Amino acid sequence: MKAYSLDFRQKIFDTYLEDRISQRQLAKRFCVSLSFIQKLIKQYKETTSIAPKVRTKQTPPKLNEEQLNILEGILEAKNDATLKEIRFILQEKTGITIGISTVDRMLQRIEISLKKNIIRLGKRNRKSSIIKSKILASTSGNTVSGCSIVYSITLTNSG
């Protein structure tokens, strides 16, 4: 989440000093969490600054370039694999255990999209598959009824 702007922080802090209202009322008035207000006041008392803290160290990615190349190789060899299968194969080849969501993020990083196999969700006729695909396409990548993130859909005629 992005940090609140310095102007917004200043407005909150000025209101706190001028109106002398409680931290809870301040949080409610500006639609922020109480913990944000508490941290802002604590930060001012310790550093006399309300500016957002600069994040100096980023969390390193779980996979390095060599391991990302192995991931691409896995997908070239088995392009219909699920995230769970990709995770298992990656663990066998590299010895690194990562979560399914991390596999998804790494695939996004190397700009590879997944296809969801609607047939696995149960038998549907072509018309309902088209309707389902329109619904899923309109969600723009959000989770839909317990399904994983959807990037694209392949329709097959289940005749």
Side-chain angles (χ1 to χ4, degrees):
M1 187 174 155
K2 290 182 89 174
Y4 291 120
S5 70
L6 188 56
D7 293 339
F8 184 61
R9 289 166 174 260
Q10 190 64 53
K11 189 174 184 180
I12 291 171
F13 195 72
D14 289 344
T15 303
Y16 173 73
L17 292 176
E18 292 169 8
D19 296 350
R20 301 305 283 170
I21 62 175
S22 73
Q23 293 178 7
R24 289 184 198 282
Q25 291 172 334
L26 198 59
K28 197 176 227 180
R29 181 185 291 182
F30 288 98
C31 299
V32 296
S33 68
L34 175 60
S35 64
F36 170 73
I37 300 294
Q38 292 168 338
K39 289 175 186 175
L40 184 68
I41 293 168
K42 181 181 177 187
Q43 180 182 339
Y44 181 78
K45 287 178 181 177
E46 291 174 356
T47 65
T48 66
S49 171
I50 58 170
K53 294 178 182 176
V54 177
R55 189 170 177 185
T56 56
K57 185 177 181 183
Q58 294 290 331
T59 306
K62 299 289 183 190
L63 301 179
N64 61 31
E65 287 300 317
E66 180 184 331
Q67 293 159 341
L68 286 174
N69 291 335
I70 292 171
L71 179 61
E72 286 184 52
I74 291 169
L75 292 171
E76 287 174 9
K78 189 174 180 185
N79 64 359
D80 63 341
T82 63
L83 291 174
K84 191 174 183 179
E85 293 168 341
I86 294 168
R87 175 181 177 249
F88 181 73
I89 296 168
L90 187 66
Q91 182 179 2
E92 286 180 336
K93 290 191 175 191
T94 63
I96 295 175
T97 304
I98 57 175
I100 292 175
S101 59
T102 305
V103 173
D104 184 50
R105 279 194 308 276
M106 295 298 120
L107 293 175
Q108 288 176 2
R109 176 174 285 170
I110 58 178
E111 298 177 359
I112 294 178
S113 63
L114 297 176
K115 290 187 177 182
K116 185 173 184 103
N117 190 348
I118 289 182
I119 295 171
R120 290 184 189 168
L121 295 176
K123 289 194 171 192
R124 293 183 172 90
N125 62 23
R126 178 129 175 95
K127 195 174 207 178
S128 67
S129 293
I130 291 170
I131 293 168
K132 180 80 169 177
S133 69
K134 288 180 181 177
I135 292 169
L136 292 175
S138 69
T139 63
S140 68
N142 294 330
T143 302
V144 177
S145 64
C147 296
S148 300
I149 295 174
V150 177
Y151 294 97
S152 61
I153 297 176
T154 305
L155 295 176
T156 57
N157 214 352
S158 59

